[in-house]
Amino acid sequence: MFSAHPDTRPRITFLSCLALLSALCLISGEVVAEGTAEKYPAHPVKLIVPFPPGGPTDIVARPFAEALSQSLGQPVVIENRGGAGGAIGAAAVAKASADGYTLLLGTVGVISINPALYPKLAYAPERDLESVALLAAAPVALAAHPSLPANTLAELKALAASQSLRFGSAGNGTPGHLTGEMFRSASGISLAHVPYKGSAPAVQDLLGGHLELVFDPLQSVLPHIRAGKLKALGISSAQPAPQLPGVPTFIEAGVKTETTAWWGVFAPAATPDAILDALARHLARARENATVRQLESLGIVLLPEQTRAAQQDFLRAEAVKWGKAVRDSGAGID
Amino acid sequence: MELFTHLNIGLDAVFTLSNLGYCFLGVLLGTLIGVLPGLGPVATIAMLLPVTYGLPPLSALIMLSGIYYGAQYGGSTTAILVNLPGESSSVVTCLDGYAMARQGRAGAALGVAALGSFFAGTVATLVIAAAAAPLAELALKFGPAEYFSLMLLGLIAAVVLAQGDVFKAVAMVVLGLVFGLVGTDVNSGVERFTFGIPELADGISFVVLSMGIFGIAEIIVNLERVEHRDVFAARVGSLLPNREDMRLSWKPVLRGTALGSLLGILPGGGAVLSSFSSYTLEKRLAADPARFGKGAIEGVAGPEAANNAGAQTSFIPLLVMGLPSNAVMALMVGAMMIHGIVPGPQVMTERPALFWGLIVSMWIGNLFLVLLNMPLIGLWTRLLKVPYRLLYPVILLFCCVGVYSVNNSAFEVGLTLFFGVLGYLFVKIRCEPAPLLLGFVLGPMMEENLRRAMLLARGDISVFVTRPISLTLLIAAALLLCLLAWPRARRTRDLAFQE
């Protein structure tokens, strides 16, 4: 459902008819037409986080869920359904009834990487899910042990010519791993990939000096960079990170790799536009919440409100970019 | 003394009525969910996180960590009374704790568990306060090669010290390894033995396996011999450990505390690993190892001290480096971040009141726990007098709720039942499940670290003997193997088997 709707008027008319029909047919009497959309939500909303509690996605989800609860006037309950790289939770939302009461906290992995990574995915993001709002993004940082005799990407390239270098990631097919693969082919720097089970063990081995480099979203390495236990050689976003003054983007340093790990709220594909719009409005308000704002101190960037058409353009580009990275890296799983 | 200045900062921060209240609330909740089989601290803390948004950060962290170590306390209660591991780290307590309960010594077992845990908690808190930073540095020295050697040592110990038939013990370890293989391979991303079921892509959870093999199997066995169960329910015995119990227990508690404090720092189930190691160590050192599994109080005292110490020191990587060593610690990271505290090395210097306050609260929490639990022992043991036909449906219900709450997955509830039937089969063919659990826990970690060490060393196998920590662990493993081959040790093993 990432197709653009340049003219939305016929759709609203169609929806109004549909809503009229629903109003007649449904015992619950939930009216979802334009103008009456304020009736939504009439009961608590479930936000499925397709990863275990405490992980980076959960950390983004919780302040937003709290702020959204306040804005909606109905509790937004987080349900952690981890497993299979987020596929289990995403599939559950894809199959849920499209009434705006079951939402997904989607990630770059769940929406843009998994379809290329797993041939037998139980959901197709483009077909089954509709984006409500893109919430936040984090650049992937290239972090190094302080003892590494290279402080810039140019020095890294020179070093790689004389010494074999290894980079750790949070696992196969994670944004960190794939960014590392894109970086490797764009820069021509030879790096061996060492996958870990999540960010923490990879960062731990980097701190202990058991490997030279780690590609991982900024928030997992930022505190160690601040404490001087790690150093950042570059970041993957288009803009430099305000939390890391003086650290260049890959593009600034001459390596044509640009990625972010991002999070957004998704709904089952058939969810009425009126509900999607209402949710997007409330999520825009949630961005102003103080607790949500605190995410920025972790190295996460809050994204501005975008039209659904703009989101769909972005998601299409992401699917192409990450899909190519998966195929090039051979990370695809048969 | 710097340590006292620090502890003083912490005391100042904690000694407010509200912080003490949250501490008590945390350990009370923790005890409750620990007692309820399967309901674990992960699900509870996740559910309570939103409640803590409005609290000051220190109060929130005090309460949440109280839930965690409180659960370690409570978990042993269920293990001793009904042979159900309330927490994954109390699996070992089932072995001798439940045997003690069957002999009418449930009170003594519970008392030793509580006192041993309190002692271990106190020492571990001091360890954190005095040596958190150097210990964290030590943990960093453990690379993949060291982990592999440590796991190898653990696996060999599991076989050498298992009861009875070596062949059966090896078979159970191997079966455990096979169950551990299920899931996605870390290195290649290939799914193994998942049969295309997405719920198996992340492997079989420890909770599911241990709850099935110990808990559900025990219920089936009990239903088979109702009359037997009634006999032992009639006798609860004295509520407190006697002088002889104390004499047997104090050394295991000391050793368990030391083991737990060390292993707790390592990521990946420090508390589980430390209770297993303590059990094997005690069995090795005992004058009469045959008593183990038949109600040896050392087999309760050591592991209980170890798992509590391990639970406590698993805060070290989090507090000092911001690295979570298990799922609960990952949640604590989440809780800290929600309050705008970025866990990492800077917390200690930038927020000293928070850092030292949390540490001091752990000791106070442990004190609350022992004050709370000693009087409760009487109440818990009376639970044994509830007729089993009333008790087991409740236990089954809580098992299902608990397993479901881990991942919100109905599939895992079904899988628990499968392991229940398997566990029943093991009882019937007299196979001990403990080696299976060790194989299940250690096997995948061993494989992961072996292959990672090889990747890092570019296939150079000498990495395991050129790194001093790894070499030491391998030598210890080799010594244990010699022990297995050594005739005298074999004879005692065989003797033990005949008994």
Side-chain angles (χ1 to χ4, degrees):
Chain A
M1 285 286 288
F2 296 159
S3 56
H5 298 288
D7 181 12
T8 46
R9 278 181 68 197
R11 206 175 147 90
I12 290 173
T13 325
F14 167 73
L15 267 173
S16 312
C17 302
L18 194 79
L20 207 70
L21 268 173
S22 331
L24 291 170
C25 300
L26 290 178
I27 317 161
S28 64
E30 276 167 22
V31 182
V32 290
E34 160 197 41
T36 46
E38 291 311 314
K39 293 264 167 72
Y40 166 85
H43 58 85
V45 175
K46 187 158 76 182
L47 177 64
I48 291 192
V49 173
F51 295 96
T57 304
D58 193 58
I59 286 168
V60 171
R62 286 180 188 273
F64 269 105
E66 179 70 11
L68 188 60
S69 303
Q70 286 164 16
S71 184
L72 286 174
Q74 281 286 348
V76 176
V77 184
I78 287 187
E79 187 175 311
N80 294 96
R81 291 185 69 170
I88 292 176
V93 177
K95 290 189 200 92
S97 47
D99 53 9
Y101 289 102
T102 310
L103 304 172
L104 171 73
L105 200 103
T107 67
V108 60
V110 171
I111 304 296
S112 304
I113 298 178
N114 279 358
L117 203 56
Y118 304 103
K120 282 177 255 163
L121 205 58
Y123 65 98
E126 300 205 20
R127 186 191 65 212
D128 300 334
L129 296 167
E130 177 72 58
S131 75
V132 179
L134 296 171
L135 302 178
V140 171
L142 171 55
H145 192 265
S147 69
L148 190 77
N151 292 314
T152 64
L153 294 189
E155 287 172 18
L156 187 72
K157 190 163 188 172
L159 186 68
S162 63
Q163 179 190 342
S164 59
L165 296 172
R166 304 156 294 190
F167 79 94
S169 80
N172 268 301
T174 55
H177 166 219
L178 295 173
T179 302
E181 296 287 353
M182 287 186 224
F183 177 89
R184 172 156 68 180
S185 59
S187 66
I189 299 177
S190 137
L191 297 169
H193 175 226
V194 183
Y196 284 80
K197 260 186 178 170
S199 293
V203 172
Q204 171 142 11
D205 268 11
L206 184 63
L207 286 168
H210 303 290
L211 76 169
E212 291 86 20
L213 302 162
V214 157
F215 280 94
D216 209 42
L218 181 58
Q219 71 271 26
S220 76
V221 288
L222 186 60
H224 306 289
I225 294 168
R226 281 191 177 139
K229 308 263 183 189
L230 296 179
K231 61 184 175 188
L233 301 183
I235 57 163
S236 71
S237 52
Q239 311 295 328
Q243 297 90 350
L244 287 178
V247 175
T249 66
F250 292 155
I251 292 175
E252 283 171 347
V255 179
K256 287 203 168 44
T257 302
E258 188 267 310
T259 64
T260 54
W262 50 260
W263 299 269
V265 171
F266 290 76
T271 308
D273 279 4
I275 288 181
L276 296 177
D277 290 341
L279 275 171
R281 239 187 353 264
H282 285 288
L283 281 166
R285 205 180 299 163
R287 282 185 183 85
E288 305 308 319
N289 179 289
T291 324
V292 171
R293 285 266 156 216
Q294 274 185 358
L295 287 172
E296 289 184 323
S297 68
L298 309 178
I300 291 168
V301 181
L302 296 179
L303 297 174
E305 193 180 356
Q306 299 168 59
T307 62
R308 259 207 305 292
Q311 293 176 42
Q312 284 155 354
D313 287 343
F314 171 76
L315 292 171
R316 263 194 304 270
E318 286 288 287
V320 171
K321 180 180 4 179
W322 294 104
K324 182 174 181 305
V326 169
R327 282 186 301 277
D328 289 352
S329 71
I333 292 146
D334 300 311
Chain B
M1 268 297 274
E2 208 187 8
L3 176 63
F4 290 110
T5 334
H6 286 152
L7 290 180
N8 208 16
I9 299 174
L11 278 171
D12 277 347
V14 174
F15 264 93
T16 66
L17 197 60
S18 69
N19 280 347
L20 288 177
Y22 283 115
C23 186
F24 184 76
L25 192 67
V27 298
L28 181 69
L29 263 173
T31 308
L32 283 179
I33 57 148
V35 168
L36 298 175
L39 260 186
V42 177
T44 314
I45 293 178
M47 276 187 273
L48 281 178
L49 264 186
V51 182
T52 66
Y53 289 149
L55 302 180
L58 180 60
S59 309
L61 291 178
I62 285 178
M63 181 172 84
L64 295 177
S65 50
I67 293 175
Y68 175 53
Y69 54 78
Q72 312 295 323
Y73 253 79
S76 53
T77 306
T78 333
I80 291 167
L81 294 180
V82 284
N83 201 26
L84 261 166
E87 281 312 304
S88 41
S89 55
S90 50
V91 166
V92 188
T93 312
C94 287
L95 304 175
D96 278 280
Y98 183 59
M100 282 180 76
R102 296 190 80 103
Q103 294 156 10
R105 296 180 18 87
L110 287 170
V112 155
L115 291 173
S117 294
F118 174 64
F119 176 79
T122 307
V123 172
T125 305
L126 279 174
V127 168
I128 298 178
L135 280 172
E137 289 297 319
L138 177 75
L140 282 184
K141 292 223 168 17
F142 267 68
E146 284 77 15
Y147 278 111
F148 170 77
S149 303
L150 180 70
M151 303 299 149
L152 189 71
L153 174 66
L155 265 192
I156 291 177
V159 176
V160 172
L161 302 160
Q163 262 168 333
D165 198 338
V166 181
F167 177 72
K168 275 186 183 171
V170 173
M172 292 300 272
V173 170
V174 172
L175 192 61
L177 291 175
V178 173
F179 283 129
L181 281 181
V182 176
T184 309
D185 173 38
V186 183
N187 283 62
S188 63
V190 171
E191 291 187 3
R192 299 188 293 204
F193 304 110
T194 57
F195 307 102
I197 302 168
E199 280 84 355
L200 285 178
D202 290 346
I204 298 165
S205 100
F206 184 83
V207 175
V208 165
L209 187 101
S210 60
M211 181 101 56
I213 284 184
F214 279 89
I216 309 282
E218 174 66 24
I219 292 175
I220 305 176
V221 170
N222 269 329
L223 289 177
E224 205 174 62
R225 45 176 190 214
V226 179
E227 71 297 339
H228 190 91
R229 157 94 204 185
D230 287 342
V231 172
F232 106 88
R235 305 175 290 150
V236 165
S238 94
L239 294 187
L240 288 176
N242 56 32
R243 194 174 288 246
E244 174 69 5
D245 291 334
M246 292 307 227
R247 193 186 62 78
L248 283 170
S249 302
W250 71 271
K251 278 190 203 152
V253 165
L254 281 181
R255 285 188 289 256
T257 305
L259 257 180
S261 301
L262 275 178
L263 290 175
I265 307 164
L266 303 176
V272 182
L273 216 58
S274 53
S275 59
F276 268 108
S277 338
S278 163
Y279 189 78
T280 33
L281 181 72
E282 289 318 319
K283 198 161 157 188
R284 179 73 237 137
L285 293 175
D288 179 14
R291 284 172 42 246
F292 278 76
K294 294 167 192 147
I297 196 159
E298 302 99 302
V300 177
E304 273 303 309
N307 78 37
N308 218 50
Q312 216 85 322
T313 54
S314 62
F315 277 91
I316 289 181
L318 173 75
L319 290 174
V320 179
M321 299 187 294
L323 293 172
S325 56
N326 56 40
V328 175
M329 290 304 129
L331 265 176
M332 295 291 291
V333 170
M336 287 167 96
M337 286 190 164
I338 282 163
H339 284 101
I341 305 157
V342 183
Q346 74 291 349
V347 174
M348 206 190 301
T349 45
E350 284 173 13
R351 315 280 296 252
L354 181 97
F355 182 86
W356 296 105
L358 183 58
I359 289 173
V360 169
S361 85
M362 291 179 190
W363 185 78
I364 295 174
N366 272 289
L367 187 68
F368 280 150
L369 276 170
V370 85
L371 293 178
L372 189 73
N373 277 281
M374 292 311 274
L376 276 181
I377 289 176
L379 181 77
W380 296 134
T381 46
R382 233 166 289 153
L383 261 185
L384 286 179
K385 295 193 171 157
V386 176
Y388 203 62
R389 70 193 148 77
L390 297 180
L391 200 56
Y392 86 85
V394 178
I395 296 175
L396 266 182
L397 178 74
F398 275 116
C399 283
C400 292
V401 172
V403 169
Y404 184 79
S405 72
V406 175
N407 257 335
N408 293 309
S409 158
F411 177 82
E412 296 200 333
V413 179
L415 202 59
T416 309
L417 293 182
F418 165 77
F419 282 112
V421 174
L422 196 68
Y424 174 71
L425 204 72
F426 291 153
V427 175
K428 286 286 147 189
I429 59 174
R430 291 171 191 276
C431 280
E432 257 192 285
L436 179 140
L437 273 178
L438 262 189
F440 176 74
V441 172
L442 296 181
M445 289 167 84
M446 201 164 131
E447 187 210 357
E448 194 186 322
N449 284 296
L450 169 69
R451 294 175 65 184
R452 190 172 294 143
M454 291 287 86
L455 258 178
L456 288 172
R458 308 213 177 289
D460 180 7
I461 197 116
S462 70
V463 67
F464 297 108
V465 289
T466 51
R467 299 176 64 108
I469 300 179
S470 168
L471 180 65
T472 316
L473 291 164
L474 284 180
I475 291 174
L479 284 178
L480 261 180
L481 263 184
C482 295
L483 213 69
L484 186 68
W486 192 28
R488 216 193 64 152
R490 273 199 94 120
R491 244 197 327 275
T492 35
R493 273 191 58 93
D494 293 346
L495 268 179
F497 181 49
Q498 281 162 17
E499 272 170 23

